[in-house]
Amino acid sequence: MKICCIGAGYVGGPTMAMIAMKCPEISVHVVDLNADRIAAWNSSELPIYEPGLDAVVQEARGRNLTFSTDVETAIAEADIVFISVNTPTKTYGIGAGRAANLEFVEKCARQIGRVAQGHTIVVEKSTLPVRTAEAVKRILSSVATEATFDVLSNPEFLAEGTAVNDLLNPDRVLIGGESAEAIQTLADIYGNWVPSERILTTNLWSSELSKLTANAFLAQRVSSINAMSALCEATGADVDEVAKAIGTDSRIGPKFLKASVGFGGSCFQKDILNLVYLCSHFGLQEVAEYWEQVVVMNDYQKRRFAESIVKTMFNTVSSKRIAIWGWAFKKDTNDTRESAAIYVCRDLLRERAQLHIYDPRVSKARILEDLEIVMRTNGDSLSNSERELIEKNVHVATTSYEAAEEAHAIAVLTEWDEFKTLDFDRVYQGMHQPAFVFDGRNILNHSKLAQIGFEVHAIGKK
Ligand code: NAD
Ligand code: UGA
């Protein structure tokens, strides 16, 4: 059997590497238009940082796992083609800012229709609006001359930073489709390592909608606890204690109750906005407004954090040095898409703070590019004053200590483990007094910091 996967990103790369590792008899070819990304997959420096991924790729690459830019050959040879391309929020036209941009998915469908040979199973791995498979089926049948197709929906539930473990031991694998035979073919592949009771099959539309629903529910829990964090700060309750107290209720459960500076990542916001758009499209205005609040609350949480820094530091951060610890949207990934750090730093830069940013896995170029994009107020380019602000006020450090030297404050924006074990006496000695710590992840030992002399402000604690 031969598999092709279009899209060598955070999902396509790790997912296919796992299939290849677990199914040595299947030949897996991952293709992408981005030649640099493919070159990185073929090198010792993989394009994404994900604990444990190197070993998985090393075991299969060169044996039954190939990465290339030869999309057409890979499709033509394949029995199964996964579509794992990006589906970002539309930035133009109808549904701009909400609907999913399906341009890349449609291009894949047209290319598969043109190039595929014989009978091919096409698998939607990307996260898609419910009923996209209808369009995919129509495109395939309109474009193809002789080839025939089955379309399946097989959304991915891995989280970044834990992708390898999530792929090894998934809570479930979901396969939606119309042809029992096609569903069984895909289920048999996962069956090589996933117990059969964890392989769920549904109709196409339930599968597509379950993915959006899962992300909406997860994000909603984070926004709910973050909403409570504001009330905790106002009343003297402690959000971590509240989370523990409610999380022990087996109906609620302990996961996804960690209050934070706000959720980030490429998917939560995009998928909820997509859900909101779909609900409006079907005339379900109340449902749309209900889910939209999850994003509204998240924006509030990010803004509230930056505002509290300014307010606490005597209502001005202008020219003050603030150490930013962490840029990735969560620990154990180099992904910065929609990271809360980007928005907090934008707001602090507008207040003229001097930012000294450190992240153990994110490159200086990535940090600067993220800031250049978020600081633009006028179209596609930075104004001279915006550029100047970034050039003069943003510095990227190579260690946490370097970032904190001579700082007036530290803001923890990603929960990297290494921040917990620093020598805080040393950090304190190098800072201006009063030395503020704003722990946007509640990961530091606050009483110990207070003993040293820091003034600590945490999420959801008075
Ligand atoms: P990504 O941007 O990292 O990767 C997508 C890749 O597709 C890019 O490398 C791009 O060059 C390539 N591509 C786009 N059009 C192409 C074409 N026509 N031919 C060949 N290559 C093409 O995206 P991602 O994070 O891997 O996400 C992919 C999909 O999976 C999205 O729909 C996302 O919502 C979903 N998803 C992502 C995650 C995650 O953790 N990142 C988890 C679950 C689901
Ligand atoms: C999320 C889902 O967890 C995956 O199941 C899904 O496949 C994926 O989105 C997707 O569709 O892309 P991911 O975004 O990689 O995975 O990471 P999460 O662990 O869900 O974290 C998302 C954001 O929420 C991060 O910024 C994280 O710091 C934040 N978060 C998470 C909290 O603030 N508190 C929590 O309790 C949990």
Side-chain angles (χ1 to χ4, degrees), residues 270-320:
K270 146 179 103 65
D271 292 348
I272 291 173
L273 293 173
N274 184 358
L275 189 65
V276 167
Y277 181 74
L278 276 170
C279 293
S280 303
H281 171 82
F282 287 106
L284 304 169
Q285 208 43 43
E286 286 78 2
V287 186
E289 283 167 18
Y290 174 78
W291 285 112
E292 189 163 20
Q293 283 307 308
V294 174
V295 175
V296 170
M297 182 53 61
N298 196 48
D299 288 339
Y300 167 70
Q301 188 74 350
K302 293 182 276 189
R303 200 170 59 240
R304 202 168 77 78
F305 187 80
E307 282 172 6
S308 128
I309 293 179
V310 178
K311 229 187 276 168
T312 307
M313 294 175 74
F314 316 110
N315 290 310
T316 175
V317 290
S318 173
S319 305
K320 287 183 186 163

Side-chain angles (χ1 to χ4, degrees), residues 25 51 80 85 107 126 236 241 283 355 370 372 374 451 461:
E25 71 290 354
I80 303 182
V85 298
K107 281 189 182 137
S126 298
E241 291 178 355
L355 303 181
D370 287 340
E372 280 170 19
V374 80
Q451 264 171 18
K461 295 168 200 267

Side-chain angles (χ1 to χ4, degrees), residues 146-446:
E146 281 172 17
T148 54
F149 301 95
D150 279 309
V151 176
L152 299 176
S153 159
N154 171 222
E156 184 49 59
F157 295 100
L158 68 78
E160 290 176 29
T162 53
V164 171
N165 195 45
D166 294 343
L167 289 165
L168 267 177
N169 305 297
D171 287 342
R172 76 324 207 165
V173 166
L174 180 58
I175 304 175
E178 285 159 342
S179 149
E181 204 182 324
I183 291 174
Q184 195 55 49
T185 304
L186 187 55
D188 286 345
I189 294 175
Y190 287 108
N192 282 298
W193 78 97
V194 179
S196 57
E197 64 277 12
R198 290 207 209 151
I199 302 179
L200 309 184
T201 59
T202 63
N203 77 31
L204 270 171
W205 323 123
S206 304
S207 175
E208 289 177 334
L209 186 55
S210 296
K211 174 63 197 177
L212 292 182
T213 309
N215 275 357
F217 271 59
L218 290 169
Q220 177 262 326
R221 281 175 70 99
V222 179
S223 273
S224 295
I225 199 69
N226 282 344
M228 288 305 155
S229 75
L231 189 56
C232 287
E233 287 163 34
T235 57
D238 177 319
V239 76
D240 286 334
E241 291 178 355
V242 172
K244 190 165 181 199
I246 64 164
T248 47
D249 185 326
S250 60
R251 294 167 302 174
I252 296 176
K255 294 184 181 167
F256 268 72
L257 287 181
K258 185 73 187 160
S260 67
V261 56
F263 63 73
S266 62
C267 292
F268 276 180
Q269 175 169 307
K270 146 179 103 65
D271 292 348
I272 291 173
L273 293 173
N274 184 358
L275 189 65
V276 167
Y277 181 74
L278 276 170
C279 293
S280 303
H281 171 82
F282 287 106
L284 304 169
Q285 208 43 43
E286 286 78 2
V287 186
E289 283 167 18
Y290 174 78
W291 285 112
E292 189 163 20
Q293 283 307 308
V294 174
V295 175
V296 170
M297 182 53 61
N298 196 48
D299 288 339
Y300 167 70
Q301 188 74 350
K302 293 182 276 189
R303 200 170 59 240
R304 202 168 77 78
F305 187 80
E307 282 172 6
S308 128
I309 293 179
V310 178
K311 229 187 276 168
T312 307
M313 294 175 74
F314 316 110
N315 290 310
T316 175
V317 290
S318 173
S319 305
K320 287 183 186 163
R321 185 164 170 165
I322 302 180
I324 302 294
W325 285 357
W327 193 258
F329 81 96
K330 62 187 282 198
K331 74 171 180 177
D332 292 339
T333 178
N334 60 345
D335 195 348
T336 68
R337 291 178 288 182
E338 290 301 327
S339 179
I342 299 172
Y343 298 95
V344 170
C345 287
R346 175 198 62 192
D347 293 354
L348 294 175
L349 266 182
R350 287 182 179 158
E351 292 290 332
R352 305 286 185 268
Q354 286 285 336
L355 303 181
H356 290 249
I357 303 167
Y358 166 69
D359 187 287
R361 289 284 168 185
V362 181
S363 68
K364 179 176 179 180
R366 179 75 263 151
I367 293 172
L368 293 177
E369 197 179 330
D370 287 340
L371 280 171
E372 280 170 19
I373 293 167
V374 80
M375 290 301 288
R376 291 172 193 165
T377 46
N378 221 347
D380 284 343
S381 57
L382 285 168
S383 67
N384 288 341
S385 60
E386 287 161 350
R387 182 170 300 286
E388 200 180 326
L389 193 58
I390 295 177
E391 280 170 5
K392 289 201 172 142
N393 292 41
V394 177
H395 314 266
V396 178
T398 52
T399 64
S400 311
Y401 294 113
E402 183 193 330
E405 243 163 67
E406 303 269 324
H408 293 83
I410 296 166
V412 180
L413 299 185
T414 312
E415 73 281 22
W416 287 104
D417 288 333
E418 66 177 60
F419 299 151
K420 297 185 207 167
T421 52
L422 294 168
D423 176 350
F424 279 96
D425 285 309
R426 172 178 164 193
V427 173
Y428 183 77
Q429 295 306 326
M431 287 178 67
H432 289 281
Q433 311 303 328
F436 295 99
V437 170
F438 298 92
D439 188 352
R441 297 288 183 165
N442 287 354
I443 54 162
L444 302 181
N445 183 336
H446 299 156

Side-chain angles (χ1 to χ4, degrees), residues 1-5 16 19 23-30 63-64 66 73-82 117 119-123 185-186 189:
M1 176 175 297
K2 290 193 170 177
I3 288 179
C4 156
C5 174
M16 292 302 127
I19 291 179
C23 314
E25 71 290 354
I26 299 178
S27 150
V28 181
H29 192 164
V30 187
R63 179 187 70 188
N64 62 328
T66 322
T73 305
I75 295 172
E77 289 177 354
D79 304 295
I80 303 182
V81 180
F82 285 81
Q117 295 184 2
H119 187 72
T120 306
I121 298 175
V122 176
V123 183
T185 304
L186 187 55
I189 294 175

